[in-house]
């Protein structure tokens, strides 16, 4: 007992008593505009193809992709990030279909822009891995190593082709040294100063990418540890951040999101540009698999995971649940 009444005198639980009270004092809020939908479009299919490792996610046809984009607009999300899946026979060592104006990704960009105009930010993954027969994010040298500077030349061409096809934003994800500066110069050279760069600044060599390999029909041999970042390192991420900002990144991203919330928080505290985080395929698949087993509440787990990412400092979140969650938030 105290002279002021019963112990304890301070009771934080008073602010948790009802749903309305909890909503009023919530420090972090999700909004549809926070969300970006990653989407896969596959060449040569007549119907959407379910991705076995990602229940509820498909490889789209051109028509179903346009429908998904229209639904994203209706739900109020901010963007759609497109990944192209070419026919296997079109892959080669240089990923030339990735810079072909009639390649699947460029065709899809034109389709989606025609469908949604400026009502949705049309974003494009800028990387070679979907288009190479070896599955790496760049050009290989004579010894089978990824040649950083030769790859930059390919990225410059990709940036220009994607901009011409209608991308509002390009997302360089290959983790090549100097990629942001080269891409910015390439875009400016063709008068596309208006196209923004969302830099995959912090991209770790993560086991959680596994289901994505199926989603893009990856031909990867080996791993990407010589160019993606070591999960053990923080200072390396901050160094990459400084370089990307110096080279002209308009926005920066941390990928994966959930296992690297500490990195996300450090990045968000360090910059004055928008920070995105990508809740990747493995994060998605774990929740879906556990929910299918009845081990967790699916809807609550989805919202909790996204709230954690937002609380850690993400302005925007790429998530395969973007449209579904946005509808519920509205």
């Amino acid at each position: 007992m105290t002279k002021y009444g019963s112990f304890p005198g301070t009771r934080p639980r008073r602010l948790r008593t009802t749903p309305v009270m909890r909503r009023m004092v919530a420090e972090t809020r999700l909004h549809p505009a926070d969300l970006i939908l990653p989407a896969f479009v596959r060449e040569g299919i007549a119907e959407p193809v379910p991705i076995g490792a990602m229940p509820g996610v498909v490889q789209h046809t051109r028509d179903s992709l346009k429908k998904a984009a229209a639904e994203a607009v209706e739900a109020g999300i901010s963007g759609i990030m497109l990944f192209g899946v070419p026919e296997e026979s079109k892959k080669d060592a240089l990923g030339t279909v990735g810079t072909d104006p009639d390649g699947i990704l460029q065709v899809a960009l034109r389709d989606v822009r025609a469908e949604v105009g400026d009502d949705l930010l049309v974003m494009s993954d800028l990387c070679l891995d979907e288009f190479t027969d070896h599955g790496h994010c760049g050009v290989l040298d004579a010894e089978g190593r990824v040649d950083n500077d030769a790859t930059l030349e390919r990225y410059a061409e990709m940036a220009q082709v994607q901009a011409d096809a209608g991308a509002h934003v390009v997302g360089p994800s290959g983790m090549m040294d100097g990629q942001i500066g080269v891409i910015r110069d390439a875009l400016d050279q063709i008068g596309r100063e208006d196209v923004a760069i969302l830099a995959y600044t912090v991209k770790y060599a993560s086991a959680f990418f596994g289901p994505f390999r199926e989603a893009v029909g990856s031909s990867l041999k080996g791993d990407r540890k010589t160019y993606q970042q070591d999960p053990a390192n923080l200072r390396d991420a901050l160094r990459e951040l400084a370089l990307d900002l110096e080279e002209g990144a308009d926005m920066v991203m941390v990928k994966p999101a959930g296992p690297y919330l500490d990195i996300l928080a450090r990045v968000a505290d360090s910059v004055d540009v928008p920070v995105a985080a990508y809740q990747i395929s493995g994060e998605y698949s774990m929740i879906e698999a556990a929910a299918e087993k009845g081990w967790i509440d699916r809807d609550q787990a989805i919202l909790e995971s996204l709230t954690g990412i937002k609380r850690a400092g993400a302005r925007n979140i790429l998530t395969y649940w973007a449209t579904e969650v946005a509808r519920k938030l509205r």
Side-chain angles (χ1 to χ4, degrees):
M1 298 288 290
T2 71
K3 65 180 181 179
Y4 299 109
S6 299
F7 177 83
T10 301
R11 296 182 181 270
R13 287 183 57 189
R14 295 188 187 107
L15 300 183
R16 305 171 194 154
T17 52
T18 69
V20 173
M21 177 68 82
R22 293 191 293 273
R23 185 181 67 197
M24 184 184 75
V25 301
E27 299 173 29
T28 304
R29 300 181 192 277
L30 287 172
H31 188 277
D34 299 333
L35 305 176
I36 297 166
L37 176 68
F40 308 100
V41 57
R42 178 174 168 182
E43 188 174 23
I45 57 174
E47 298 291 337
V49 176
I51 299 168
M54 301 176 68
V57 180
V58 301
Q59 294 172 325
H60 284 287
T61 66
R62 289 173 60 185
D63 285 340
S64 69
L65 178 65
K66 290 189 289 186
K67 180 180 178 183
E71 290 172 350
V73 172
E74 183 180 2
I77 73 174
S78 288
I80 186 168
M81 175 68 78
L82 302 185
F83 296 84
V85 185
E87 294 179 351
E88 194 70 23
S89 63
K90 294 185 179 180
K91 295 181 180 181
D92 61 23
L94 298 178
T96 52
V97 71
T99 50
D100 181 349
D102 294 321
I104 182 59
L105 183 53
Q106 284 69 251
V107 169
L109 285 167
R110 290 194 290 271
D111 284 345
V112 174
R113 276 302 299 271
E115 182 72 23
V116 301
D118 293 332
D119 293 336
L120 185 70
L121 284 175
V122 180
M123 304 178 172
S124 185
D125 180 64
L126 199 164
C127 195
L128 288 171
D129 61 314
E130 296 102 316
F131 309 111
T132 55
D133 55 11
H134 48 73
H136 277 288
C137 297
V139 178
L140 303 185
D141 65 17
E143 297 183 13
R145 301 170 301 189
V146 175
D147 185 326
N148 191 94
D149 295 0
T151 299
L152 294 181
E153 295 179 16
R154 301 287 295 124
Y155 286 2
E157 186 179 354
M158 289 188 82
Q160 293 176 341
V161 171
Q162 290 178 2
D164 286 342
H168 293 103
V169 180
V170 295
S173 61
M175 294 303 293
M176 296 298 116
D177 294 340
Q179 63 183 10
I180 303 305
V182 166
I183 289 167
R184 183 72 271 160
D185 286 346
L187 291 169
D188 292 351
Q189 285 171 15
I190 62 168
R192 296 310 306 270
E193 296 89 352
D194 58 324
V195 174
I197 299 176
L198 170 57
Y200 285 59
T201 292
V202 184
K203 185 178 181 181
Y204 284 98
S206 172
F208 292 94
F209 287 125
F212 182 87
R213 309 282 189 250
E214 178 188 350
V216 297
S218 175
S219 302
L220 180 64
K221 301 174 180 66
D223 59 49
R224 298 183 174 128
K225 293 182 180 180
T226 65
Y227 45 102
Q228 294 178 353
Q229 289 168 261
D230 185 340
N233 292 345
L234 164 63
R235 290 185 181 87
D236 190 24
L238 298 179
R239 187 183 187 197
E240 293 275 7
L241 175 65
L243 289 168
D244 281 358
L245 292 174
E246 182 181 348
E247 292 173 24
D250 299 290
M251 301 171 278
V252 297
M253 185 196 297
V254 175
K255 180 181 183 180
Y260 297 94
L261 295 180
D262 60 324
I263 308 296
L264 173 59
R266 286 291 295 271
V267 169
D269 287 344
S270 301
V271 302
D272 57 5
V273 300
V275 176
Y278 197 147
Q279 185 182 54
I280 67 170
S281 60
E283 299 175 73
Y284 174 95
S285 296
M286 286 193 303
I287 290 177
E288 290 287 354
E292 190 276 330
K293 292 284 190 180
W295 294 340
I296 60 174
D297 183 302
R298 176 184 181 274
D299 290 353
Q300 288 190 31
I302 291 169
L303 288 175
E304 185 175 337
S305 68
L306 293 171
T307 300
I309 296 166
K310 181 76 182 293
R311 187 185 63 246
R315 178 86 59 87
N316 298 105
I317 305 171
L318 289 84
T319 175
Y320 299 97
W321 290 300
T323 300
E324 175 188 343
V325 168
R327 286 170 173 162
K328 292 175 181 176
L329 292 174
R330 295 186 75 179

